[in-house]
Amino acid sequence: NKYDFIKMNIIGKSVLGRDIYELRVGTGEKKIHFNASFHANEWITTVVLMSWLEDRLIYISQLTNKNEYLKSIQLSIVPMVNPDGVELIYAGKEAAIGLYDVARLNENRADFYNWKANIRGVDLNLQFPAGWENARRIKFSQGFTTPAPRDFVGYGPLTEPEALAIYNFTLSHDFKLILTYH
């Protein structure tokens, strides 16, 4: 509400139906996309990205040529790709709403601070078609052959709704640069 030039969109849903948000600033041809929290245990990247965004918004709001500037650039920000996983870090196994046996995957440890995957135990960063077969070969050779807190590639590329949302979103835009915070 503080910045009338920022727009919010929903680009998809997580496994548990949480919205995956995009924040958009500007309408220009110079399109840059940022995203964060692919990995649940990297939740701090959301905080860093949102802090960076607030600094940009303050800067933009103070420009005398704000409208011209906003017509020249387009910043696209997805601050949290893996909301279910991040919630798991904070709330523990209750975040799975009894639908997924995350406690078993986490070897019945009460804290989930090392959990990288989404709520189904799939590493979202390893879900994309480019190089998926190679990632599968490597991770399977390391013993990550089933859902786990980290490094399971899934049963195929783009099986997870969070990865599919980001994939479809980026394909539908002509971004000049994409930065993923890890």
Side-chain angles (χ1 to χ4, degrees), residues 128-182:
F128 299 101
W132 184 85
E133 289 290 336
N134 191 43
R136 181 183 183 277
R137 184 182 51 75
I138 291 167
K139 293 303 179 181
F140 273 44
S141 75
Q142 295 171 343
F144 299 102
T145 60
T146 59
R150 59 178 298 128
D151 297 326
F152 177 59
V153 299
Y155 296 109
L158 301 175
T159 59
E160 302 309 297
E162 302 93 342
L164 186 59
I166 284 289
Y167 178 80
N168 287 334
F169 178 74
T170 55
L171 284 181
S172 68
H173 293 79
D174 185 24
F175 294 119
K176 302 301 178 206
L177 179 65
I178 297 175
L179 299 162
T180 299
Y181 282 39
H182 280 276

Side-chain angles (χ1 to χ4, degrees), residues 5-73:
F5 53 89
I6 190 168
K7 306 294 181 222
M8 186 169 65
N9 306 299
I10 296 170
I11 67 160
K13 301 271 188 190
S14 69
V15 169
L16 294 177
R18 290 184 174 95
D19 291 332
I20 300 172
Y21 294 100
E22 181 224 12
L23 305 172
R24 175 113 18 122
V25 177
T27 59
E29 292 298 313
K30 297 176 193 169
K31 297 178 181 181
I32 301 172
H33 175 72
F34 301 82
N35 59 58
S37 290
F38 258 91
H39 292 139
N41 63 350
E42 296 173 358
W43 58 267
I44 193 71
T45 60
T46 294
V47 177
V48 170
L49 183 55
M50 293 302 287
S51 177
W52 176 87
L53 176 59
E54 174 115 41
D55 288 346
R56 299 295 74 72
L57 296 175
I58 290 168
Y59 168 78
I60 292 167
S61 67
Q62 294 172 349
L63 290 174
T64 55
N65 63 340
K66 176 175 85 171
N67 290 336
E68 293 168 32
Y69 181 78
L70 290 170
K71 289 178 184 173
S72 72
I73 60 110

